[in-house]
Structures are given as structure tokens and as C-alpha cells.
Amino acid sequence: MFVDSHCHLSSPELIARLPEIRAAMRAASVDQALCICTTLDEFERVHALALGDADLWCSVGVHPDEEDAREPTVESLVALAALPRVVAIGETGLDYYRLGERSVADMAWQRERFRLHVRAARASSKPLVVHTRSASADTIDVLRDEQGDAVGGVFHCFTETAAVARAALDLGFFISFSGILTFRNADELREVAAFVPLDRCLVETDSPYLAPMPLRGKVNTPANVPLVAARLAEVKGLPLERIAETTTANFARLFLPTVPRSSSVS
Ligand SMILES: [Zn+2]
Ligand SMILES: [Zn+2]
């Protein structure tokens, strides 16, 4: 019924509890999840999750916050993206939140790494999982410049303005909402969620981070994605079933275009 479009199941605090988490997901009708890769060294673990479970998928990419990580090449990303169960390139993007002493000019390495990911996505015809924080204008610029609209993807854990959402939608991207949508101080984000067409919305946990209300501050798991969906249902004034159905169909449309839809065989 529900899909968690972005989780870090390979993180130590989650992978140690995998059987328990998978059971909790089934109990909460969270049928599938996309396990996100953040470094090339992590890829093997993320990929093993997807290979070992028909309801888990994975991505390949190097997170913009992983400053000291092994740099990918377009060729290395394309080769890993061609492996079974790898359905996306990312997470990639730009994050200027932790600039510290540095200026935006010092983050050229991040922009270059992001460009490589967009090129790899185009070369492998796989959608992008985009992370953007305090860097929306440059994120949109790189996507335009590298013709990211040719593959599309998702702006995950969206916390930007309606204008940024508009620009992302115009590039053919989906917008994914996380537990932040449930936070008390997130009225502006809820206005953005009201504005994004439902057929371009996804839901995610970004677990183990960002547990939705009323679990805020706890270790998050994909089993909590219905709490995000419920808040989206409230914002949209629609039944939860409709949100579940549409976000699940959106996930399949974006990430699984070559996988037959189970509903078509029933
Ligand atoms: Zn992220
Ligand atoms: Zn993430």
C-alpha cells in the first residue's frame, strides 16, 4: 500500500534490526522501500539489501555531505547503475548548510560531483535522487545546465519554497515529503505540499533521521512512512487511501518503469 521512497536501511542503527523493521513495515502496509546509497564504499551493503529482498530497491551515488568520500566517475556510476535492483542515481545534489569557514565558491567540488551524477543518470537512463539544502538556486542551475530534465527524478526531503518546487516540477521532477511535513513549525512546507500536484508527490522517511510526529527525536524506520502520508492527506483534504495509492503509483512510474505493475496482473 505505501512505499518509502528514501531510507538509509544500511545505516548501522537500522541494519542491525532488519528482521524487526521488515516485520514492522509489513504490519504498517509499507510494501516497498528504496534504500539510498551515500558513498561508493557503502554501495555493496545497500545493494545486498535490494538483492536479498524482492520489495527493496537501491540507488548508487555519493552524498554531497560526504566530503572525503571516494570520488565517483561517470563510468563507475553507470557500471553500478546497470546492476540488478539499482533503480536510481543518488543521493546527489548540493548542500551549503555546513559551509563553516568556506564560501560558496569553495564548494566547486560539490557542483562538479553533482554534474557527474547528472551525466551518469542520463547515460544510464535512470532518475536522480536529489538532495538540496541551502543551495536551491545552484541545484536548479546544474540540473538545467546538464539537462537533468532528460531523466528527471525526485527532490527528496523537500524543505524549499513553492518557487523552488515550481522550478523542480518544470524540470519534470517529483517532490518527496518526509517527516518534516508533520512538524509543528512546518506550516510553510505544508503550504508547499498543498501546491504540489498529487501526481508529482512522493513520501519518504529518510530514516534513521527525521522521525515524524509523534515520534520526533526517535530512531526513524520505513514503517513510519504512513505518518507522513497521513499528514499529506490532511493537507490535501483527501482520504489516506488515495494518498497511498497515488504516491505508490508515482514511485512505480518514476523508479520502476520497466518492472510490470502487479496491479495489471490481478
Ligand atoms: Zn538527503
Ligand atoms: Zn538521505
Side-chain angles (χ1 to χ4, degrees), residues 76-133:
S76 65
L77 290 171
V78 168
L80 295 172
L83 296 173
R85 317 286 304 167
V86 184
V87 297
I89 302 287
E91 61 182 294
T92 180
L94 300 176
D95 193 328
Y96 299 160
Y97 185 72
R98 292 184 191 85
L99 278 184
E101 308 278 279
R102 295 167 299 183
S103 69
V104 165
D106 296 329
M107 305 307 270
W109 62 272
Q110 242 186 28
R111 291 184 288 275
E112 191 50 36
R113 185 191 278 176
F114 184 26
R115 284 178 186 277
L116 291 186
H117 281 80
V118 183
R119 286 172 204 159
R122 292 183 55 200
S124 55
S125 301
K126 298 256 157 92
L128 287 155
V129 175
V130 174
H131 169 110
T132 185
R133 194 171 186 199

Side-chain angles (χ1 to χ4, degrees), residues 152-164:
V154 59
F155 275 55
H156 104 90
C157 193
F158 199 78
T159 53
E160 304 291 334
T161 62
V164 177

Side-chain angles (χ1 to χ4, degrees), residues 7-164:
C7 64
H8 297 276
L9 261 193
S10 60
S11 69
E13 55 269 70
L14 296 187
I15 205 158
R17 297 165 49 205
L18 192 61
E20 175 208 327
I21 289 169
R22 292 295 286 118
M25 286 170 67
R26 276 187 286 275
S29 300
V30 181
D31 295 338
Q32 299 182 74
L34 176 51
C35 302
I36 301 293
C37 177
T38 59
T39 65
L40 292 176
D41 293 328
E42 184 189 23
F43 175 74
E44 210 173 310
R45 278 182 288 137
V46 184
H47 192 219
L49 281 167
L51 284 176
D53 189 323
D55 295 320
L56 300 178
W57 307 92
C58 78
S59 69
V60 61
V62 182
H63 194 292
D65 283 344
E66 296 285 348
E67 187 160 1
D68 301 320
R70 187 148 55 90
E71 263 335 303
T73 60
V74 173
E75 294 71 27
S76 65
L77 290 171
V78 168
L80 295 172
L83 296 173
R85 317 286 304 167
V86 184
V87 297
I89 302 287
E91 61 182 294
T92 180
L94 300 176
D95 193 328
Y96 299 160
Y97 185 72
R98 292 184 191 85
L99 278 184
E101 308 278 279
R102 295 167 299 183
S103 69
V104 165
D106 296 329
M107 305 307 270
W109 62 272
Q110 242 186 28
R111 291 184 288 275
E112 191 50 36
R113 185 191 278 176
F114 184 26
R115 284 178 186 277
L116 291 186
H117 281 80
V118 183
R119 286 172 204 159
R122 292 183 55 200
S124 55
S125 301
K126 298 256 157 92
L128 287 155
V129 175
V130 174
H131 169 110
T132 185
R133 194 171 186 199
S134 309
S136 58
D138 282 4
T139 302
I140 297 287
D141 277 354
V142 167
L143 286 173
R144 281 198 186 122
D145 207 39
E146 296 289 341
Q147 292 157 293
D149 56 334
V151 284
V154 59
F155 275 55
H156 104 90
C157 193
F158 199 78
T159 53
E160 304 291 334
T161 62
V164 177

